[in-house]
Amino acid sequence: NALFSWDPVEDKHIFNGNSELFRKLRVRTGKNEEETMDELAKRSALLQAIVDKNILDFKDFNKIIHNFYKDPNSVYKQFGIIE
């Protein structure tokens, strides 16, 4: 019951959404489906912003992730994900 599947024709991942893992994540975090989807979208946008800014160095990436776990909203703001 995969959360994502690969579409080789379009060369992209497809979010399935109907996954036992996704359900367990909602139960574990206490968030509803909309809140969980919003968080997934923000994290996806953050990873895309990191790619777009060509941040390839492990230390630079690690620093971003470390800061994210300390204060996610600050990192989201830094990368323009939220205002």
Side-chain angles (χ1 to χ4, degrees):
N1 192 358
L3 189 55
F4 290 91
S5 61
W6 176 251
D7 180 349
V9 175
E10 295 292 323
D11 192 29
K12 66 180 181 177
H13 286 94
I14 307 296
F15 177 67
N16 298 324
N18 296 326
S19 166
E20 181 64 15
L21 176 64
F22 193 61
R23 186 195 66 74
K24 285 180 181 180
L25 179 63
R26 289 195 315 265
V27 169
R28 186 174 140 218
T29 62
K31 294 183 178 185
N32 64 34
E33 186 172 349
E34 183 178 342
E35 292 169 321
T36 304
M37 292 298 294
D38 182 53
E39 184 63 27
L40 182 63
K42 289 191 295 190
R43 289 180 183 211
S44 177
L46 175 59
L47 290 173
Q48 187 61 54
I50 291 169
V51 169
D52 293 345
K53 291 181 181 278
N54 203 31
I55 298 172
L56 302 174
D57 183 74
F58 173 78
K59 288 181 182 178
D60 294 338
F61 179 80
N62 191 48
K63 183 177 178 182
I64 294 166
I65 299 305
H66 177 77
N67 289 336
F68 177 82
Y69 278 99
K70 287 191 333 188
D71 186 3
N73 286 334
S74 174
V75 175
Y76 286 143
K77 288 176 184 175
Q78 176 187 351
F79 283 87
I81 309 301
I82 64 172
E83 295 180 12

